[in-house]
Amino acid sequence: MISKLPQIGHSIFTKMTAMANEVQAINLSQGFPSFYPDEKLVAYLQKHIQNGKHQYAPTSGIPELRSALSHRYGYHPEKEITVTTGASEALFCAITASVNPGDEVIVFEPCYDLYVPAILLQGGIPKFIKMNFPEYKIDWDFVEKSITGKTKVILINTPHNPTGKVLQEEDLKALIHIAEKHPEIIFISDEVYEYITFDEHKHLSLAKYPQLRERTFVCSSFAKTYHITGWKTGYCLAPPRLTEELRKIHQYITFCNFTAAQYALADYISESDSHLTLSKFYEAKREVFLNKIDQNLFGILPSQGTFFQNLVFKTPTSLCDTEISEILTRKAKIASIPISVFYQDGTDHKVLRFCLAKEDEILTEAVQRLNQAHLFL
Ligand SMILES: Cc1ncc(COP(=O)(O)O)c(C=O)c1O
């Protein structure tokens, strides 16, 4: 069989989680919470399973959930909202709907690992633009100069995994300027961490700006907002002409998402505003993690949002970040993700990503182990 993705292997998340399990390390590599969702949400799921919600849902999602999402985001429940199998499926369908062979897609690096394979499978060409280390700012003049007659999509991710960067008003203005100059360009905006921003930073969705909203697929998820990554329930918000194309693909990829989960979420989000306290919740976790970290060993990179914190390994060493991460996992028993894997060319600033979505005791123990890192390297 001729591989469609010859250069793609197992994801780093699978690899590091397997390694963490093998050596029984604290696993701050993969981004998933170690705590339970709100018991009310679990009770709703149980109720709908008991009450027989076991069959296919409508392909675009149950009306109750689309209506609840419509209240939250102001999109039309029937024409502009599609419930998907996680943001992953929303992103995959949006990329598939937008990209034809030979089309160029601007992708900012470091980037989440789903984007590139999805673009390549459509015969698209990823055009990588690096966010400038260490602030991870985007040089919008450079972005504009990189646009060619073949540029079809600009892929945005805010708050950004793996850097924790949150786009600011000036970034959105630059995007609007590009949108006005290039009416053929479509935007795909991955906003799964929309409710997790820190300090003075606020999430600015592309949906808030009419010039962008009219040609943006906003992809998001309940996974990070309600601590339910395993439910794989997400959604895509997009104007009718984009939604129509997305749904053509969605109906043949999964047709619909887990029915009982949709009913549970519809009940829950209609009455709960727990998402509004999420930023403070993770800000406190960031504090626990950073409070005692030995800054002679690790430089702290600003995390403006998401549930990740990046640290730069300061001790001079010839080891690359993947080697540092493996040694820390095996010897110090603390697993992280090396940021070089989020770059096509393996750019290595010796930065490691740590997931904050763990109990405070786990984070405290993780810091103690990290502060011993020099003994092993
Ligand atoms: C930036 C980003 N986009 C998309 C996803 C996938 O979301 P879901 O689990 O809802 O498919 C993740 C999950 O980690 C993510 O970090």
Side-chain angles (χ1 to χ4, degrees):
M1 183 175 180
I2 299 169
S3 172
K4 291 213 164 169
L5 295 170
Q7 62 285 66
I8 309 267
H10 284 302
S11 91
I12 185 75
F13 308 109
T14 314
K15 182 180 160 189
M16 293 313 294
T17 293
M19 198 187 294
N21 290 341
E22 181 198 327
V23 302
Q24 301 199 329
I26 294 179
N27 186 6
L28 301 191
S29 63
Q30 203 173 358
F32 62 87
S34 64
F35 27 81
Y36 277 19
D38 188 340
E39 56 191 31
K40 280 191 204 150
L41 178 56
V42 177
Y44 281 134
L45 181 64
Q46 281 166 338
K47 177 182 103 182
H48 289 295
I49 285 177
Q50 289 295 333
N51 289 352
K53 297 288 193 265
H54 299 295
Q55 309 310 328
Y56 295 128
T59 178
S60 50
I62 62 163
E64 292 85 342
L65 183 55
R66 280 185 283 125
S67 158
L69 287 170
S70 175
H71 276 115
R72 187 171 279 186
Y73 294 105
Y75 278 77
H76 192 284
E78 274 135 48
K79 297 185 190 145
E80 299 188 310
I81 300 176
T82 310
V83 178
T84 56
T85 300
S88 304
E89 197 222 341
L91 287 160
F92 192 87
C93 292
I95 291 169
T96 306
S98 318
V99 178
N100 287 300
D103 287 344
E104 293 176 358
V105 180
I106 292 184
V107 179
F108 298 101
E109 282 192 312
C111 71
Y112 183 61
D113 66 345
L114 176 148
Y115 308 148
V116 173
I119 295 165
L120 294 176
L121 282 172
Q122 306 319 316
I125 304 162
K127 288 283 168 183
F128 296 106
I129 296 183
K130 288 190 175 117
M131 299 160 82
N132 292 329
F133 180 79
E135 293 89 13
Y136 295 109
K137 277 196 163 187
I138 295 176
D139 178 346
W140 291 105
D141 288 335
F142 185 72
V143 175
E144 227 185 302
K145 286 189 196 119
S146 310
I147 294 174
T148 72
K150 290 186 183 165
T151 307
K152 187 70 174 295
V153 172
I154 299 182
L155 230 158
I156 301 291
N157 172 209
T158 184
H160 183 263
N161 176 11
T163 66
K165 176 83 184 164
V166 175
L167 291 189
Q168 306 294 302
E169 197 74 51
E170 76 226 35
D171 299 303
L172 274 297
K173 276 193 190 141
L175 267 181
I176 291 170
H177 172 73
I178 289 174
E180 285 171 345
K181 251 179 114 178
H182 299 277
E184 67 294 347
I185 290 180
I186 301 275
F187 299 94
I188 299 177
S189 188
D190 179 348
E191 304 186 6
V192 300
Y193 299 98
E194 61 188 311
Y195 294 112
I196 314 176
T197 58
F198 303 139
D199 312 317
E200 75 282 11
H201 302 285
K202 295 276 165 280
H203 171 60
L204 298 175
S205 172
L206 271 64
K208 293 201 182 101
Y209 303 83
Q211 306 95 315
L212 299 174
R213 177 190 160 123
E214 64 179 15
R215 47 213 166 95
T216 300
F217 291 98
V218 176
C219 301
S220 194
S221 173
F222 300 107
K224 322 286 172 174
T225 308
Y226 298 123
H227 315 317
I228 48 170
T229 58
W231 290 27
K232 288 304 289 187
T233 306
Y235 43 95
C236 181
L237 314 170
R241 76 186 168 96
L242 300 189
T243 292
E244 261 172 46
E245 292 307 311
L246 175 120
R247 286 182 182 173
K248 286 181 193 171
I249 295 156
H250 161 71
Q251 71 179 333
Y252 292 117
I253 291 192
T254 56
F255 186 77
C256 67
N257 175 254
F258 182 28
T259 307
Q262 292 191 47
Y263 278 101
L265 282 159
D267 286 350
Y268 184 73
I269 72 175
S270 312
E271 68 178 34
S272 163
D273 54 11
S274 64
H275 58 293
L276 301 179
T277 54
L278 203 58
S279 290
K280 287 276 166 259
F281 175 79
Y282 278 119
E283 211 170 81
K285 297 220 168 277
R286 188 187 58 165
E287 196 53 38
V288 170
F289 187 70
L290 293 182
N291 211 0
K292 296 228 168 75
I293 200 86
D294 183 344
Q295 294 196 39
N296 295 317
L297 284 176
F298 294 100
I300 296 170
L301 291 179
S303 173
Q304 303 174 344
T306 75
F307 52 39
F308 299 111
Q309 174 63 53
N310 290 350
L311 300 177
V312 191
F313 190 69
K314 272 187 172 172
T315 313
T317 171
S318 57
L319 297 170
C320 63
D321 66 354
T322 12
E323 290 165 328
I324 298 170
S325 165
E326 284 196 29
I327 293 171
L328 287 182
T329 309
R330 291 194 181 282
K331 303 271 175 58
K333 309 266 188 238
I334 163 80
S336 58
I337 298 282
I339 295 294
S340 65
V341 302
F342 297 95
Y343 289 93
Q344 289 305 299
D345 65 2
T347 295
D348 181 6
H349 300 290
K350 303 204 194 307
V351 178
L352 304 175
R353 190 198 77 174
F354 297 87
C355 174
L356 300 171
K358 310 291 162 190
E359 279 86 2
D360 290 358
E361 308 78 68
I362 299 181
L363 294 175
T364 306
E365 173 63 26
V367 171
Q368 278 169 14
R369 294 185 187 188
L370 279 173
N371 288 346
Q372 303 297 313
H374 58 290
L375 301 177
F376 307 106
L377 287 150

